[in-house]
């Protein structure tokens, strides 16, 4: 009987920074880009997880 052991370890570090002032140009653009990258990564992860469970 085959034995399969799978482990998934996810480590996350969340650092909280004070809100940035409006004096910094492009701060909103940077935040928007970060959100888009995170959203795209999450979509790809979910798609990969669905594909693995479908096998």
């Amino acid at each position: 009987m085959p034995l399969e052991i799978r482990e998934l370890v996810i480590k996350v570090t969340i650092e909280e920074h004070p809100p940035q002032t409006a004096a910094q140009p492009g701060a909103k653009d940077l935040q928007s880009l970060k959100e888009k990258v995170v959203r795209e990564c999450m979509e790809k992860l979910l798609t990969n997880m669905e594909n693995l469970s479908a096998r």
Side-chain angles (χ1 to χ4, degrees):
M1 172 188 267
L3 176 65
E4 185 174 331
I5 300 174
R6 292 186 180 190
E7 282 190 44
L8 175 63
V9 178
I10 299 174
K11 293 184 180 183
V12 178
T13 302
I14 299 174
E15 295 180 7
E16 200 168 321
H17 296 286
Q20 297 178 354
T21 62
Q24 295 178 346
K28 289 183 181 180
D29 293 336
L30 181 60
Q31 184 63 29
S32 174
L33 288 173
K34 286 180 182 180
E35 289 173 4
K36 287 179 183 179
V37 169
V38 169
R39 192 176 310 118
E40 184 176 339
C41 289
M42 288 300 298
E43 287 174 5
K44 287 187 178 189
L45 281 171
L46 291 173
T47 302
N48 287 344
M49 288 174 58
E50 288 173 0
N51 289 341
L52 286 175
S53 65
R55 291 184 186 181

